[in-house]
Amino acid sequence: MHTRDFIVPPGRPVRLGQMPTDNTPGVKGKAEAPDLLAASIAALAEQQEKLYVQDRWSLLIILQALDAAGKDSTIKHVMSGVNPQGVQVTSFKAPSTLELDHDYLWRSVIALPARGTIGIHNRSYYEEVLVARVHPEILARQQLPDRGSRADLWSQRYRQINDFERFLVENGTRVLKFFLHVSKDEQAKRLLKRIDDPDRQWKFSVRDVQERARWDDYARAYEDMLAATSTKLAPWFVIPADRKWYMQLAVGEIIVKALQDLDLRFPPVDDTRRRELAEGRRLLSAETKPSQKGRTSRPKGQR
């Protein structure tokens, strides 16, 4: 598969209804998935180790989607082989009172990945141009200054987000943004599965079903957001999500490709380091050398 197949071209209109949710470009079928995913997981583990040791870059992964699109399962499968101490997952829920007393980027800023690490944001500041747009009553709780029309607010936030992501990239944080594109029919199947499966019932919320009534509103909000905030430095990837196995493969490959593009390397071994290694070998060799104390010589042939 080619990662460019999923990129939203900067500045172009987006029509989600014209973008497939169940295609699998670049993969013959599901039978290939286990081996391909295993190879992707191994490659990601290798790249993550270099990222951690080099300690120069960080990676921010943003996952946005409608309910039941597969954000949690994508994190679980794609990141299954990485070192946990180098990854931080943050799931953003409704803002707390403390968070509402700050700007809408604040809670995301304090959850940004440190150099050498990967940060995964399950939902993000993009909720503030998606859910807040579909449900205007959310804005009333944000105590915002009165500065013009609602339309101006969204364009301002698009600009602020683009500026913020440019700042991140220019300061060493690679930004990957994924919209997991699930169909309405497939979402219904997954919600019903949560109801019918006792092991999944804890995941069900009647609010997820109620939000389906706003499907078209969310589609328009996503289309405007994707078109306005997919940039050359931080593009959006729209991933077909009706087939979870393919969605996971696509996301994994894009993450690996992004890390490979950073040309990550283990620190070079210079003369000082070589001397340290040689000294370490000498000390360990002396420590493990068999002791001659207490040995008595015996004539040849005597046991």
Side-chain angles (χ1 to χ4, degrees):
M1 71 182 70
H2 298 290
T3 58
R4 63 176 178 270
D5 293 339
F6 310 110
I7 290 180
V8 174
R12 293 190 188 177
V14 174
R15 296 292 178 264
L16 290 177
Q18 300 173 8
M19 304 176 79
T21 60
D22 62 352
N23 64 334
T24 60
V27 180
K28 294 179 181 178
K30 188 176 181 179
E32 288 186 288
D35 290 341
L36 291 174
L37 185 58
S40 178
I41 290 170
L44 179 54
E46 178 185 353
Q47 291 298 315
Q48 185 218 7
E49 185 177 12
K50 294 179 181 178
L51 177 76
Y52 185 80
V53 173
Q54 193 178 63
D55 198 30
R56 178 174 298 173
W57 305 91
S58 59
L59 176 64
L60 173 61
I61 299 170
I62 291 174
L63 295 175
Q64 289 288 156
L66 295 170
D67 298 310
K71 299 187 300 300
D72 292 338
S73 64
T74 297
I75 296 170
K76 176 181 178 180
H77 289 86
V78 174
M79 310 303 291
S80 61
V82 300
N83 187 334
Q85 68 180 345
V87 179
Q88 177 181 338
V89 180
T90 306
S91 296
F92 292 101
K93 308 296 184 182
S96 66
T97 301
L98 175 62
E99 290 166 344
L100 287 171
D101 277 338
H102 291 81
D103 64 86
Y104 68 94
L105 290 172
W106 180 77
R107 65 177 184 166
S108 295
V109 170
I110 61 177
L112 288 173
R115 296 193 191 281
T117 67
I118 297 173
I120 303 173
H121 287 189
N122 185 342
R123 302 189 187 275
S124 67
Y125 42 84
Y126 280 101
E127 295 290 283
E128 299 299 329
V129 293
L130 295 168
V131 180
R133 183 169 177 175
V134 174
H135 295 279
E137 64 273 15
I138 290 175
L139 295 175
R141 297 195 295 269
Q142 296 186 356
Q143 304 170 182
L144 300 174
D146 185 8
R147 292 182 176 174
S149 69
R150 194 65 56 77
D152 291 336
L153 175 65
W154 307 131
S155 62
Q156 287 171 8
R157 287 190 171 182
Y158 295 149
R159 173 180 53 78
Q160 291 160 358
I161 288 170
N162 289 340
D163 290 344
F164 175 62
E165 291 175 349
R166 174 181 288 277
F167 171 82
L168 292 180
V169 173
E170 291 178 348
N171 284 274
T173 297
R174 180 79 164 84
V175 180
L176 290 180
K177 305 183 297 191
F178 298 99
F179 171 59
L180 308 182
H181 186 27
V182 69
S183 67
K184 194 173 184 179
D185 288 344
E186 179 62 23
Q187 187 200 51
K189 293 177 184 177
R190 294 179 187 178
L191 292 174
L192 284 170
K193 191 171 184 179
R194 290 180 180 181
I195 294 172
D196 296 335
D197 186 347
D199 292 336
R200 296 171 183 261
Q201 288 173 349
W202 66 271
K203 298 183 71 174
F204 178 78
S205 170
V206 70
R207 186 175 182 277
D208 296 342
V209 178
Q210 293 168 344
E211 287 293 274
R212 283 172 57 83
R214 310 298 296 271
W215 185 275
D216 292 341
D217 295 333
Y218 274 108
R220 284 191 292 271
Y222 266 104
E223 288 171 348
D224 290 347
M225 179 273 287
L226 292 168
T229 62
S230 189
T231 64
K232 184 176 181 180
L233 289 177
W236 274 101
F237 295 86
V238 176
I239 309 297
D242 279 6
R243 297 177 180 176
K244 285 188 176 182
W245 61 267
Y246 184 81
M247 173 182 65
Q248 293 158 8
L249 285 177
V251 170
E253 181 167 314
I254 291 168
I255 294 172
V256 170
K257 176 67 165 54
L259 290 172
Q260 290 173 339
D261 288 346
L262 295 177
D263 194 24
L264 302 169
R265 301 173 184 270
F266 292 115
V269 178
D270 56 16
D271 290 342
T272 300
R273 187 61 175 161
R274 289 191 184 92
R275 287 193 292 270
E276 290 179 351
L277 294 171
E279 178 64 7
R281 179 178 293 279
R282 184 189 68 78
L283 293 171
L284 288 169
S285 296
E287 185 180 300
T288 58
K289 188 176 181 180
S291 174
Q292 299 298 321
K293 287 186 176 182
R295 290 192 177 185
T296 57
S297 60
R298 297 177 178 176
K300 287 183 180 180
Q302 182 177 344
R303 294 184 178 180

